[in-house]
Amino acid sequence: MQTEKEMFDIIINTARSDDRVLAAYLKGSRANPNVPRDIYQDFDIMYVVKETGSFRADPSWMNPFGKVILKQEQADVFGYGDRFGLRRHYDKTYSWLLIFEDGNRIDIGVETLETMREGCNRNKLFLPLIDKTGCLPQLPPPTDEEFYVRKPTEPQFRGCCNEFFWSLCDVVKGIRRDELPFAMTTYYAQSHHMLEIMLGWYIGSKTDYSVSCGKQNKYFKRYLPENVYLLYEQTFPDSSYEQFGQAIKISCRLFREIAVLIAESLGSIYPEEYEQGFMKYTKAVTDA
């Protein structure tokens, strides 16, 4: 695998040798001072260019990076362009996700000078790599503060509690009907998601809302107390309905324990009625 330095040398030399490129900057985790370095991190690179069309028409300019074994483009159906609503404005910005045979990954894009000035593709994780024309903005050092957990409002807290237990009623219904895809998808997309939001608020409350839980909450293990994280691990069910039911019970226990603490931190009251409504519904359909 090429080293980080070797990769950055290629990235910068590619920008330096191509007259179409005005500047290049780094985004993402490698620009984040709070993220531990490892070999799995992507190189999130943006080239500021005179135009995007020639880069799309002939991708041979990416050859110096190495042999590509898997690629996804902004225009691909079902890809990241679809997920994030980016399948448009290719004349302003375009990007590729590349995996190379040595295991390195680059998420690389091109954007016009006007698009760069609008700031459409950047946030506070911004680190200039090369600026051939003096076009890049002068910004403070990179920070991930935009992704910090935010303290919830009272309506947000109550809404999270309501959605957690309401969605669990649908999960129970799916289990009773032997509709595993429906039950499992609803559990993860709605109920479990609310549990993770509540756990994020717990982390925020313990850190003065000054940290990020990372993409898809990947830093939960770093910030949650060990006993809490061990319970959280048990909220992931397998395809057995018996184990699924146990995971739901543990989810309810964990959600309640954390939600009570968040309510106290907000000077609020845990909405017991939502949990009681779920319990009554579960008993009603089980006894039916």
Side-chain angles (χ1 to χ4, degrees):
M1 177 180 281
Q2 295 192 91
T3 66
E4 182 181 60
K5 181 182 183 304
E6 289 171 331
M7 290 297 292
F8 275 122
D9 284 344
I10 297 172
I11 290 164
I12 293 172
N13 288 335
T14 297
R16 182 178 288 122
S17 62
D18 194 326
D19 291 337
R20 298 171 298 174
V21 179
L22 306 176
Y25 60 89
L26 177 69
K27 311 186 296 176
S29 66
R30 288 185 183 269
N32 189 344
N34 295 320
V35 172
R37 289 281 189 270
D38 65 29
I39 63 173
Y40 309 108
Q41 289 176 287
D42 301 343
F43 292 83
D44 294 297
I45 305 298
M46 183 63 71
Y47 286 147
V48 182
V49 299
K50 296 176 181 178
E51 45 76 29
T52 66
S54 62
F55 290 89
R56 294 177 55 214
D58 180 9
S60 63
W61 61 275
M62 293 186 281
N63 289 346
F65 297 126
K67 183 178 178 181
V68 176
I69 59 173
L70 192 59
K71 176 181 70 171
Q72 190 173 111
E73 296 189 28
Q74 184 172 329
D76 287 348
V77 179
F78 293 123
Y80 69 97
D82 262 350
R83 289 198 303 276
F84 300 110
L86 301 175
R87 294 186 66 208
R88 53 195 173 87
H89 304 315
Y90 302 149
D91 59 324
K92 296 182 178 180
T93 182
Y94 197 77
S95 56
W96 301 258
L97 311 185
L98 309 172
I99 299 179
F100 302 98
E101 62 180 351
D102 69 350
N104 272 307
R105 295 179 50 147
I106 290 183
D107 297 353
I108 192 163
V110 292
E111 64 179 1
T112 62
L113 181 60
E114 178 185 14
T115 302
M116 185 278 296
R117 287 173 173 163
E118 292 172 352
C120 301
N121 293 316
R122 58 179 164 84
N123 49 41
K124 293 185 179 181
L125 291 174
F126 170 86
L127 186 64
L129 297 177
I130 182 173
D131 190 351
K132 295 156 65 174
T133 63
C135 65
L136 293 180
Q138 299 298 311
L139 297 176
T143 174
D144 61 350
E145 64 184 34
E146 290 173 274
F147 306 103
Y148 288 175
V149 179
R150 304 299 180 194
K151 186 175 182 178
T153 63
E154 173 73 13
Q156 286 173 329
F157 170 70
R158 291 185 63 85
C160 181
C161 294
N162 181 275
E163 175 66 3
F164 175 78
F165 288 111
W166 178 273
S167 297
L168 276 182
C169 292
D170 280 342
V171 176
V172 170
K173 179 174 67 175
I175 291 173
R176 296 296 296 175
R177 286 175 168 170
D178 191 21
E179 296 171 342
L180 183 63
F182 171 82
M184 193 71 76
T185 300
T186 303
Y187 177 73
Y188 278 122
Q190 296 172 229
S191 306
H192 202 262
H193 179 53
M194 291 299 107
L195 171 62
E196 291 180 330
I197 287 176
M198 193 64 71
L199 289 168
W201 289 338
Y202 173 77
I203 291 170
S205 70
K206 296 300 182 181
T207 58
D208 197 25
Y209 294 93
S210 62
V211 300
S212 165
C213 293
K215 186 177 182 179
Q216 306 291 0
N217 301 308
K218 60 184 178 181
Y219 300 137
F220 267 7
K221 191 171 185 178
R222 178 193 301 182
Y223 292 120
L224 288 173
E226 183 178 5
N227 64 313
V228 174
Y229 190 79
L230 287 174
L231 276 179
Y232 171 66
E233 287 183 319
Q234 296 176 59
T235 66
F236 290 86
D238 61 23
S239 59
S240 160
Y241 283 134
E242 181 180 357
Q243 201 277 331
F244 197 173
Q246 187 63 23
I248 291 172
K249 290 179 181 178
I250 295 172
S251 292
C252 289
R253 171 190 165 187
L254 181 57
F255 187 90
R256 178 191 175 90
E257 290 178 0
I258 298 302
V260 167
L261 295 175
I262 297 303
E264 291 174 355
S265 74
L266 297 174
S268 181
I269 298 174
Y270 174 67
E272 186 80 36
E273 65 273 19
Y274 299 154
E275 182 177 355
Q276 291 302 311
F278 164 70
M279 298 301 292
K280 290 177 181 177
Y281 174 79
T282 301
K283 185 177 187 306
V285 297
T286 301
D287 294 344

